[in-house]
Amino acid sequence: MKNRKVVSKIAVLTSGGDSPGMNAAIRAVVRTASHFNLECYGVMEGYNGLIHDDFVRMGPRAVKHIINQGGTILKSARSPEFRTREARAEAHKNLDKYGIDGLVCIGGDGTFTGAKIFGEEYDTRVIGIPGTIDNDIFGTDNTIGYDTALNTAVDAIDKIRDTATSHNRVFFVEVMGRDAGFIALNSGVASGALDILIPERTDSLEEMFKTFRKAHKTGKSSSIVVVAESEKLGGVYDLAKATGEEFPDFDIRVTVLGHIQRGGSPSCADRVLASRLGFGAVEGLLRGENKVMAGLRSGKLVFTPIAEAIKKRHEIDEELLKISEVLAM
Ligand code: F6P
C-alpha cells in the first residue's frame, strides 16, 4: 500500500532496574511519535502493564517537565510473569486491542531478553533503548543512567575521602554493577582510589595487600578501595575483614553506596543520550528496523540486533585498568 507506515501506533515501557534519564527517553519517544503523527501509549510497570492491560495514551504534554527527573514516570518492574508463554500471549492480545504494532522497550539485558522472545513469537515490531546504570550492554558506548550513577558515586567517594583523610582510615566502598565493573573502574579512577576490584579481572588478596604495603612505604596514611558489588573475592565486608587481619594497625571502614546510585536528576550527558536514542528508536521503527537496539557508538546512532546486544559482552577498557594501577600509589 502506498505511503503506508511500517508502524502506526506505538507503545513505550521501562523495565528492569530504573536509571536516571529513563524519563528523558520516554519524553523523546512520545514527542518523536507525535512529530511523525504516530499514536503513542505508555505501558505501566514494564511488561506487567502489557500483560494486565495498563496503558496510558501519551501526547507531547504528558511528558512535560520530566527531562530533569530521575526514576521513570511509567514505573518499572522485573516481570517473572512475562517469562511464561501464556502471559506473552495476553500481552500480545492487549497490544492488538489498541492496534499497537511497535513497542519501544527501555531497560537492560533482562528487558531485551523479554523483547527478543516476544519479537520472535509475534509480529509486533520491537526496538530496545539501553537504560541501566551498569553500562553492561553491547552495542552502545554508554547506557542511559550510567553517567549520572558514575557522578553520584564519585561525589560520594569524594566525601568519604574527606573523612578518611581526617582519620587516617582505609575505606572499602562498594558500588553497583551486577556483573560489570564499569562504575567501579571509572569512579575509582576519577576519585583516585588506591585499588579497584572488578568482576572482569581476577584479583587476589595478596595483590591487594601488596598495593597497600607499597603505598604505606611512600607515606600514604589513608586509602580508598572501590569494589564492584560483583567482584569475585568475596564481597566488601570479607575484604575489609581480611585486610584488618593482615594489617592490624589499619583503621578500616566499609561503605555500601547502594541504590542512591540509581536515583537523582540525570546528568546533561544522560539527557542528551536519552533524547538521541528515544528519537532514533522511533525513527528506526518507521524505517523498518525490528528486533534491534538503538545505541550510540563514537557519536553515531547505530542499531544492533537485540540478540547480539544480549549475547556479546561490553568489554571493560583494559587501558584504563592499566592507568588506574599506574596512578594509584
Ligand atoms: O541493573 C542495575 C542494578 O542497579 C545493578 O547494579 C544491581 O545489581 C541491581 O540493579 C539491583 O537490583 P534491585 O534494585 O532489584 O535490588
Side-chain angles (χ1 to χ4, degrees), residues 52 130 148 153 164 188 206 228 243 257 280 286-287:
H52 300 290
T148 308
E206 201 32 60
T243 306
L257 295 188
L286 282 169
R287 277 197 276 117

Side-chain angles (χ1 to χ4, degrees), residues 8 12 223 311 324:
S8 54
V12 56
S223 304
K311 201 161 155 219
S324 76

Side-chain angles (χ1 to χ4, degrees), residues 16-19 78 108-109 131-136 175-180 183 229-230 258-259 261-262:
D18 64 346
S19 69
R78 306 188 199 275
D109 53 357
T132 163
I133 63 164
D134 288 355
N135 203 32
D136 58 344
V175 297
M176 272 187 168
R178 193 195 292 276
D179 297 306
I183 298 178
E229 60 171 323
S230 47
H259 285 77
Q261 295 160 98
R262 286 244 295 262

Side-chain angles (χ1 to χ4, degrees), residues 197-215:
L197 305 178
I198 57 174
E200 290 85 348
R201 204 181 67 160
T202 353
D203 295 290
S204 74
L205 277 178
E206 201 32 60
E207 271 176 278
M208 185 179 71
F209 294 159
K210 232 184 352 200
T211 309
F212 273 123
R213 276 188 213 105
K214 203 173 118 199

